[in-house]
Amino acid sequence: MVGLNPHAALGFHRAMLPSGSFPAVSHIHVAPEDVETQNAGKKVAQEYGRRTNHTAIMSSREQIAEFFGDLELVEPGLVWLPQ
């Protein structure tokens, strides 16, 4: 199921982009060493799933970068909010 494989879903959309496109992705990342925020995020994700019947998945910075596949990142690239 594509819904459980975000890389497949985004790969499909990347393949459909016309040349010269600039896709953007918004995603939440919490540093692995921030255990308190990780635990709070898991609770939020569980509640989101319960209320919406959708899956919320926390991803590492590296996993988020993988969403772009072989696309070249332009400035400012992958940044932290509120950058």
Side-chain angles (χ1 to χ4, degrees):
M1 178 190 298
V2 171
L4 297 178
N5 186 345
H7 290 92
L10 288 165
F12 169 81
H13 290 288
R14 280 194 318 267
M16 297 297 171
L17 290 172
S19 179
S21 294
F22 293 95
V25 172
S26 176
H27 201 296
I28 296 172
H29 164 73
V30 177
E33 62 274 6
D34 188 348
V35 176
E36 183 178 346
T37 305
Q38 284 280 343
N39 290 336
K42 288 175 186 174
K43 289 179 184 175
V44 170
Q46 289 170 346
E47 184 63 16
Y48 175 80
R50 188 183 69 74
R51 290 183 181 206
T52 66
N53 199 29
H54 289 277
T55 303
I57 300 171
M58 292 189 291
S59 301
S60 70
R61 187 172 173 81
E62 292 77 21
Q63 289 169 320
I64 296 167
E66 289 174 8
F67 290 152
F68 293 96
D70 60 353
L71 296 176
E72 179 182 346
L73 294 180
V74 297
E75 291 296 326
L78 187 58
V79 297
W80 307 103
L81 289 177
Q83 290 177 299

